[in-house]
Amino acid sequence: FAAARRFDLHAEAIAACTRGVEADAGYARHWSNRGFARMDLGLRKRGRGEDPERDYTEALADFTRALELDGRSGEAWTGRAGVRINLSTLHKERGQEWASEVAASVADFDRALALDPADVDAWLGRGLARLAGAEAVRQRGEDPAPHYAAAIDDLTTAVETQASSAEAWMRLGGARLTWALWLADRGGDPGEQFRAAREAIDRSLQLDPTEAEAWIRLGGLEVNRGVHQAEHGGDPEAAYVAARTAFDQ
């Protein structure tokens, strides 16, 4: 199963997991494995511009069955939380209701972390889910600041738990940038969040200087910082130079 997932053999992975389910339908791990394989297939389809909803929905059902069999399976709680976030993103893009899936994802990550407080993937996932929750709150016209703060707390715990995770540092930087932009939009001072975002993304790039997404995030951060400086009578040139340097990478 692991080899099939690694070599992009999603149909083969799902078939192998289905054989496991058919051989022993009472073993939760078989259901979780198939859930991950189906979620992986959905993500790959999405990357190709195909519709992943059926795969996500089937993965959700598999993780739910795994949890019915073993409610102490941290990987099943984390897997179901992850597929819910993917569903929420898909539904949001289609103009459908999506906030309830975000809330359900946070609840699932809560259960995973109650079982294993050292699960860095769960901290990272809950932080990203809470960041999505902040956007949902913002769209309702409510104050998202507590949700941004909670997301950053989770992502900070992720980097404290696994300081070598370039992805966790990058996501922390992205969350701080999102908060900075919200502060700037409402006339607040985003300076502290811009600085903290830059520090986190720099740390990510120190760990993995080949990660294009981190360079793109850094470039975007510097563009937005330059725009904010220009709008408030500052000189944006240094920020724009830093942005061009990052995008060139």
Side-chain angles (χ1 to χ4, degrees), residues 14 31 41 46 49 66-67 87-88 102 123 141 167 181 190-191 218:
I14 292 169
W31 293 94
L41 177 58
R46 181 174 170 78
L67 290 166
L87 276 168
S88 74
V102 173
W123 286 110
E167 180 185 4
L181 295 176
L218 181 58

Side-chain angles (χ1 to χ4, degrees), residues 168-183:
W169 283 105
M170 181 179 67
R171 301 300 179 192
L172 175 59
R176 289 196 175 277
L177 175 58
T178 300
W179 195 357
L181 295 176
W182 174 73
L183 287 169

Side-chain angles (χ1 to χ4, degrees), residues 7 11 13 31 37 46 51 53 74 87 99 132 149 152 164 176 178 184-185 192 202 210 238:
F7 288 100
W31 293 94
R46 181 174 170 78
D51 184 1
E53 182 149 14
L87 276 168
I152 287 169
S164 62
R176 289 196 175 277
T178 300
D185 285 345
E192 179 181 350
D202 281 347
T210 68

Side-chain angles (χ1 to χ4, degrees), residues 15-241:
C17 295
T18 299
R19 288 193 294 273
V21 166
E22 291 170 348
D24 186 359
Y27 183 44
R29 187 68 178 272
H30 290 323
W31 293 94
S32 287
N33 284 344
R34 193 169 69 177
F36 282 113
R38 283 174 161 165
M39 181 164 60
D40 285 350
L41 177 58
L43 290 168
R44 182 52 60 96
K45 283 184 177 180
R46 181 174 170 78
R48 295 196 299 254
E50 301 172 21
D51 184 1
E53 182 149 14
R54 177 178 176 179
D55 305 288
Y56 290 160
T57 302
E58 290 177 343
L60 183 66
D62 281 345
F63 288 126
T64 298
R65 181 56 181 152
L67 290 166
E68 290 170 352
L69 292 167
D70 181 6
R72 294 189 60 78
S73 172
E75 69 171 7
W77 286 112
T78 300
R80 192 171 76 170
V83 80
R84 280 177 159 160
I85 281 293
N86 289 320
L87 276 168
S88 74
T89 301
L90 184 66
H91 291 162
K92 178 185 171 187
E93 291 176 353
R94 293 176 173 175
Q96 300 170 340
E97 196 282 326
W98 58 280
S100 62
E101 289 290 358
V102 173
S105 175
V106 171
D108 282 352
F109 280 125
D110 287 345
R111 295 294 297 269
L113 287 166
L115 290 166
D116 182 6
D119 185 346
V120 67
D121 289 334
W123 286 110
L124 180 59
R126 193 174 73 174
L128 296 175
R130 283 177 160 170
L131 192 62
E135 183 177 353
V137 166
R138 186 176 177 180
Q139 287 187 359
R140 294 198 300 266
E142 301 171 14
D143 181 8
H147 298 269
Y148 286 137
I152 287 169
D153 283 346
D154 281 352
L155 295 170
T156 299
T157 302
V159 299
E160 290 173 348
T161 303
Q162 188 173 330
S164 62
S165 172
E167 180 185 4
W169 283 105
M170 181 179 67
R171 301 300 179 192
L172 175 59
R176 289 196 175 277
L177 175 58
T178 300
W179 195 357
L181 295 176
W182 174 73
L183 287 169
D185 285 345
R186 66 192 297 268
D189 181 6
E192 179 181 350
Q193 293 303 325
F194 276 137
R195 286 189 294 274
R198 173 74 200 232
E199 290 173 2
I201 296 173
D202 281 347
R203 178 63 173 153
S204 175
L205 287 166
Q206 288 170 6
L207 291 164
D208 184 3
T210 68
E211 178 52 67
E213 184 178 352
W215 286 110
I216 292 169
R217 285 176 181 264
L218 181 58
L221 184 157
E222 291 297 348
V223 168
N224 283 286
R225 188 168 69 89
V227 168
H228 179 74
Q229 289 173 338
E231 290 175 345
H232 291 79
D235 182 359
E237 182 61 24
Y240 291 156
V241 169

